[in-house]
Structures are given as structure tokens and as C-alpha cells.
Amino acid sequence: MRAPLTAELTKIRTLPASWIALGLTAVANTVLGIVAGTDSVRIASPDGEVAVGQVGTLMLAPVYVFVAIAAVAAGTEYHGGQLRVSLAAVPDRTRWFGAKLAATAVVALVAAIPAVLPGLLVQHVVAGGSAPGRTATGRPVTDLLALLTAYLLLSLVGFGSAFLARGFVTPLAVLFTLPVLSTTLAGRFPQVVRFLPHEATLSFLGRAADPATALGRGAGLLVLTGWALLFVGVAWALTVRRDT
């Protein structure tokens, strides 16, 4: 696995989109951390004005830019016949897919640290434990581990969906609309919405806004993990069985 794994890591590292997505995510999280920590901006809600740090969907929004790292890594295989070249170099499709999956997961996990850590630290330091801008648990290490897990699992969802769509544009568009879809359907189908990836992530992070769509943190993690395994599993099956 060493040669294909090294090749896949090199591909991801040399994609401009990877660095752009990482930079935008880090900047967005830092800005949100400052705004949430200082409680300088309030957002209107049905229950009145609330602090930015209490709006889970907004605080989670940068992850959908970050997911582009994994989605582009998978989706670009279908541009210009790249997949044929990759499979010519590694004819064993299962081994090739495993190498690409491992490389993407490693990159997503490592890249998530600089993507979320500055914003989390800024929010915690600036807020100083005050209620309006505090983090989900008030414990930076716990919050960091939870965010890294969420970023990794959502990246795997994006990775798998890019193989399903044979590109990265459609998966990213769908992932970007997930928060809107969850908000739109929450009033009518709360029992369904709570199991969508976006709401499950908010529940896992302890940021679910609506009790009707909230799961426990453990249940949210299980649901999000299930989505990641489902998309990766289907992507593997399609890679092994369908023509390039």
C-alpha cells in the first residue's frame, strides 16, 4: 500500500483546491470565533435575538467549505481520464480505493486541526467563559476533538458522494443545501430531519437548536458515522464493479 498511498497523498497535497478550502475554512472559523466570543453580533430568531455562538448551523457552516478537500480529491478522478491512469498504475481496484480512502482520511484529519483550532481558541479566550459566546461544552479539548471528528466524518460523506456523482460539483452543491433543507423540513418532518447528516452533526456537537430535531451526542455521532460508512461503502462497491 505504500506506493499508492504516497501517490494519493501527493495528489491531494498538490491540488490548489485543497489549500484554498483549508485557508477559507480557517479564516471563516476564526472570524466566527471572534464574533461569537465578543458577542458583538446578534441574530434574530423566533425566540428573540441570540448570540452567534448559539447558532449551531452558522458555527458549523465552514465545514461545508472544508469538505471540498475530500470531494475534489475523489471527484477529479473522473476528469480527463484520470481514473484510467490511476487504475492502470494500481489494477487492484480495492487496493487503490483503500489507498485513496486512507490518504483522504489522513489529510482531512490533519488539515482539520489548523482549520478549527484558531477559531476555537479565539472564541474560548475572548469569551472568557461568558455565556453568550462560550463553546458547546466550555472545554476546549473536548470541543476540539468533537470538531475534528465531525470534520472527518463529513469529509468522508463528501468523499463517497463524489464517487457516486462522478465529480465534485454535485456533492458539494447538495452538502451546501443540507442546512437549508434541514431548516425547511424541520417543522413538518422533525423525526426525519434529525437523522440527516447536518442535524446529526449539530446534535453530536451539542449545538442542536430545536429540541424536536435533537439527538443525544452519542446518538448524533452514531448517525453521522453511519452516513459516512454508507457513502464510503457504496462508493467502494461502485468503484469495484462499474466501468471507468
Side-chain angles (χ1 to χ4, degrees), residues 1-20:
M1 289 287 287
R2 180 179 298 179
L5 183 59
T6 301
E8 295 303 329
L9 287 171
T10 301
K11 284 182 190 177
I12 299 173
R13 189 179 68 247
T14 55
L15 286 172
S18 300
W19 297 101
I20 293 173

Side-chain angles (χ1 to χ4, degrees), residues 15 19 22 36 116 120 140 146 156 167 173 190 210 223 231 235 239-240:
L15 286 172
W19 297 101
L22 175 57
V116 305
L120 189 64
L156 293 181
D210 187 350
V223 171
F231 276 96
T239 300
V240 171

Side-chain angles (χ1 to χ4, degrees), residues 205-229:
L205 296 176
R207 293 186 177 274
D210 187 350
T213 59
L215 297 168
R217 298 193 70 160
L221 175 60
L222 287 176
V223 171
L224 183 57
T225 302
W227 280 109
L229 292 175

Side-chain angles (χ1 to χ4, degrees), residues 109-166:
L109 185 58
V110 173
I113 298 174
V116 305
L117 185 57
L120 189 64
L121 289 177
V122 167
Q123 182 183 356
H124 180 76
V125 172
V126 173
S130 60
R134 69 186 177 196
T135 53
T137 66
R139 298 188 297 273
V141 175
T142 300
D143 291 329
L144 175 61
L145 293 176
L147 281 171
L148 294 180
T149 301
Y151 271 58
L152 171 61
L153 292 175
L154 285 173
S155 293
L156 293 181
V157 171
F159 174 84
S161 59
F163 275 99
L164 271 65
R166 291 178 177 258

Side-chain angles (χ1 to χ4, degrees), residues 164-238:
L164 271 65
R166 291 178 177 258
F168 58 85
V169 176
T170 300
L172 289 178
V174 171
L175 288 171
F176 270 115
T177 60
L178 273 180
V180 178
L181 180 64
S182 296
T183 302
T184 304
L185 299 179
R188 295 186 177 182
F189 309 104
Q191 300 302 322
V192 175
V193 169
R194 65 169 56 183
F195 292 106
L196 294 178
H198 176 74
E199 289 299 326
T201 304
L202 290 180
S203 294
F204 167 53
L205 296 176
R207 293 186 177 274
D210 187 350
T213 59
L215 297 168
R217 298 193 70 160
L221 175 60
L222 287 176
V223 171
L224 183 57
T225 302
W227 280 109
L229 292 175
L230 174 64
F231 276 96
V232 169
V234 173
W236 169 78
L238 290 176

